[in-house]
Amino acid sequence: MVIYYRYTLDWKSRKYTCPACGRNKFVRYIDTFTGECLPPEYGRCDGEINCSYFLNPYQSGYAKKVWRDKYGQVTTETIAQQHVVQPIKKTEAFMPEEIVSQTKGGYELNVFVQNLLNTVPFPFDWADVEKVIELYQLGTVKHGYRRGAITLPFIDLKNRVNAIQVKQFDAENHTIASDFLHSIIHKWCLRNSRPLPKWLSDYLENEKKVRCFFGEHLLSQYPKNPIVLVESPKSAIYATLYFGLPTKPTDRIWLATFTLRGFDEAKCQCLKGRDVLLFPDTSKKAVHGDKYGITFEYWHQKGKDIKKNINDISIRITDILEKIATEEERKKGYDVADYLIQLDWRRFRKHEVGHKTEESQEPQYDYPPEWDF
């Protein structure tokens, strides 16, 4: 048995405008007794570094006031009655594999993919982009209000689809909207008065949707390769385009945590026996004069803790972005993709594509001095 609080963050809902930073990253609290949202100021912003807004109804006194207005005296015992005791859910639901297959294709509509081919400072060859699409099983939303968005499946080590993130990008490949495919399907069913598919009804009961790394399915395909962890799928995609696909056991595989706190011990269980390099985003410093940003410090300490608790795992962290980031770039939370896209990808290869050596039938990749980690 486990205790669920009456007021909880509603992870099933759409994101709202944060009252502090104004971005569409705010998760509101919901009353599990009524199914209604609490007043709009109660919730947490997902902008964990650039916005730390978080208003908890238990800490603010809201919960006590509701109980006092209804029952009068507030005691430890009466507050405990606001909690709901429910059995622990023993199974977790996953999205059907065919959903991923249905997103394949439509790349001529895919803004992110087309930007890689046409509008980035140094456009990529289709052959390379196609390989990365296949590697990460990237897809396209072909219809509806998210038409042209890219789909980013989170597939775990057992090839189960945990979630499919949907992201819309502008002409410079900056995110303008973010969603999840299950949420889009859910809204469509409600809007058209259609019954929810059985898989979706079960899936919506999951407390967490993203329970694995982006690219985790590659671990079974490449059982010996070293790993690089970044935060966003976009960073993993860009880095793979620049540093190369894994063709031999020494080549790095780029995985993404999805969020800052997505780098946790539960997810890292799949990395036993691996050499892991952490590549955190830039961020503001907690105190003026600090050497490193908040994100770096968080991942650095988290890495130490995970290394203590998981046997046979090597975890290192690179501070290359900390060394080159300006204050303005820190404020914007620059990641590895923001820096890579300014560079010509050909600089990262020992031999130009199309001039293959007798020793290898694949382009050979190298790191410029400033990226020698």
Side-chain angles (χ1 to χ4, degrees):
M1 303 293 284
V2 66
I3 293 178
Y4 287 99
Y5 287 92
R6 173 176 177 175
Y7 305 118
T8 64
L9 289 168
D10 184 18
W11 296 112
K12 297 179 185 178
S13 71
R14 68 181 179 87
K15 298 295 178 66
Y16 294 84
T17 301
C18 175
C21 68
R23 292 184 297 172
N24 194 41
K25 287 179 170 288
F26 193 63
V27 180
R28 292 177 63 177
Y29 268 94
I30 188 172
D31 185 338
T32 58
F33 281 18
T34 66
E36 297 178 352
C37 287
L38 270 61
E41 65 270 22
Y42 289 96
R44 186 173 76 185
C45 182
D46 277 351
E48 298 165 299
I49 293 300
N50 295 316
C51 179
S52 57
Y53 184 88
F54 180 32
L55 186 59
N56 185 313
Y58 291 101
Q59 296 175 351
S60 70
Y62 177 90
K64 287 185 178 181
K65 183 179 184 303
V66 170
W67 190 267
R68 184 182 292 110
D69 290 346
K70 187 171 183 179
Y71 298 107
Q73 185 179 7
V74 178
T75 66
T76 302
E77 290 74 20
T78 58
I79 286 294
Q81 294 176 40
Q82 295 187 72
H83 303 159
V84 184
V85 179
Q86 297 178 352
I88 296 176
K89 187 175 180 180
K90 296 182 179 179
T91 60
E92 293 176 314
F94 299 90
M95 300 183 69
E97 292 183 22
E98 56 264 29
I99 297 294
V100 176
S101 299
Q102 291 171 12
T103 66
K104 298 296 180 62
Y107 301 112
E108 70 281 0
L109 305 173
N110 194 309
V111 175
F112 182 85
V113 170
Q114 289 303 311
N115 286 341
L116 294 177
L117 298 172
N118 300 299
T119 65
V120 295
F122 303 96
F124 296 92
D125 294 334
W126 168 245
D128 288 345
V129 174
E130 188 176 31
K131 290 177 182 177
V132 171
I133 287 173
E134 182 179 357
L135 189 74
Y136 289 108
Q137 300 192 38
L138 309 177
T140 308
V141 176
K142 307 178 187 70
H143 308 284
Y145 66 96
R146 295 293 189 206
R147 185 175 186 268
I150 190 171
T151 59
L152 306 160
F154 286 74
I155 305 172
D156 66 20
L157 194 60
K158 297 181 179 179
N159 218 38
R160 300 173 301 189
V161 184
N162 278 225
I164 302 178
Q165 189 180 24
V166 175
K167 292 187 79 70
Q168 287 184 303
F169 290 89
D170 62 17
E172 296 180 343
N173 259 359
H174 294 146
T175 303
I176 56 176
S178 185
D179 210 334
F180 281 93
L181 194 57
H182 74 268
S183 179
I184 294 174
I185 297 172
H186 186 201
K187 293 172 188 174
W188 184 90
C189 290
L190 295 178
R191 188 168 56 249
N192 293 277
S193 300
R194 299 289 184 86
L196 300 186
K198 176 64 166 58
W199 72 262
L200 182 55
S201 296
D202 294 339
Y203 183 82
L204 290 174
E205 294 301 315
N206 289 332
E207 183 178 354
K208 285 186 177 182
K209 305 301 187 294
V210 180
R211 305 180 297 278
C212 70
F213 295 124
F214 173 76
E216 185 175 308
H217 63 284
L218 299 176
L219 297 177
S220 57
Q221 299 178 39
Y222 304 96
K224 301 294 184 182
N225 295 61
I227 306 300
V228 186
L229 275 184
V230 291
E231 185 172 327
S232 73
K234 174 183 171 181
S235 290
I237 293 168
Y238 272 39
T240 302
L241 282 167
Y242 273 84
F243 295 121
L245 279 73
T247 59
K248 54 186 183 297
T250 56
D251 292 335
R252 295 183 173 103
I253 299 173
W254 294 76
L255 309 183
T257 64
F258 174 59
T259 63
L260 166 69
R261 300 187 188 281
F263 173 48
D264 60 34
E265 187 174 331
K267 286 184 181 177
C268 285
Q269 294 295 330
C270 66
L271 300 179
K272 289 181 179 179
R274 300 279 183 155
D275 177 20
V276 181
L277 178 67
L278 307 180
F279 213 126
D281 295 352
T282 64
S283 59
K284 62 184 181 180
K285 300 174 182 178
V287 180
H288 183 69
D290 281 358
K291 185 177 181 181
Y292 296 122
I294 296 172
T295 299
F296 182 94
E297 294 293 357
Y298 178 82
W299 275 28
H300 188 211
Q301 184 56 52
K302 197 70 177 178
K304 289 181 179 179
D305 296 339
I306 291 172
K307 191 173 182 179
K308 289 180 182 178
N309 297 328
I310 298 180
N311 295 327
D312 194 26
I313 185 173
S314 171
I315 298 181
R316 298 175 296 119
I317 190 168
T318 175
D319 63 355
I320 184 171
L321 298 190
E322 297 295 314
K323 293 177 178 178
I324 64 177
T326 65
E327 286 303 313
E328 185 62 26
E329 290 168 348
R330 287 184 178 279
K331 290 178 182 178
K332 294 180 179 179
Y334 266 38
D335 56 23
V336 63
D338 293 309
Y339 293 101
L340 285 175
I341 204 63
Q342 302 174 40
L343 307 174
D344 189 338
W345 52 269
R346 296 171 187 83
R347 293 181 57 200
F348 289 68
R349 309 194 185 189
K350 293 178 181 177
H351 308 287
E352 292 287 343
V353 176
H355 295 79
K356 299 175 182 177
T357 66
E358 294 180 1
E359 301 172 353
S360 173
Q361 294 303 306
E362 291 291 336
Q364 297 297 299
Y365 293 79
D366 198 8
Y367 307 122
E370 64 268 35
W371 293 93
D372 184 15
F373 51 81

